[in-house]
Amino acid sequence: MTKRRSLILPAVVLGLVLLVVAVIYWIDSADALPSFFPGHEAGSSHHHIKHGIAAAIVALGCFTFAWFQTGPAPTGPSGQPQH
């Protein structure tokens, strides 16, 4: 599998954004969520814990992807990097 180093920065940025979204879901009630967030309900005091967990899991997936892209390039049988 080839390394796509150009995707490291976008994956990390997306992971950070998703972590912020997860924290917002955990802290704010459905009434206080931004109106463009799924789960926004005017007048509701419900917290969307599961939405936050899902956002955090996807963020961890983004960080894991970025981490694997930083590793050494795979080598072929001759010891040369594969392209």
Side-chain angles (χ1 to χ4, degrees):
M1 181 175 177
T2 62
K3 301 290 180 174
R4 303 188 85 189
R5 297 195 189 277
S6 61
L7 293 178
I8 294 171
L9 184 61
V12 170
V13 169
L14 181 59
L16 290 173
V17 168
L18 286 168
L19 276 182
V20 169
V21 167
V23 170
I24 290 172
Y25 271 121
W26 291 329
I27 292 175
D28 287 341
S29 64
D31 183 38
L33 290 174
S35 61
F36 58 88
F37 269 43
H40 171 77
E41 297 174 34
S44 176
S45 62
H46 178 74
H47 282 76
H48 289 285
I49 302 298
K50 291 179 189 175
H51 285 82
I53 291 171
I57 289 172
V58 176
L60 289 175
C62 289
F63 293 140
T64 303
F65 172 80
W67 179 36
F68 277 105
Q69 296 306 307
T70 62
T75 59
S78 64
Q80 298 295 331
Q82 293 179 346
H83 296 283

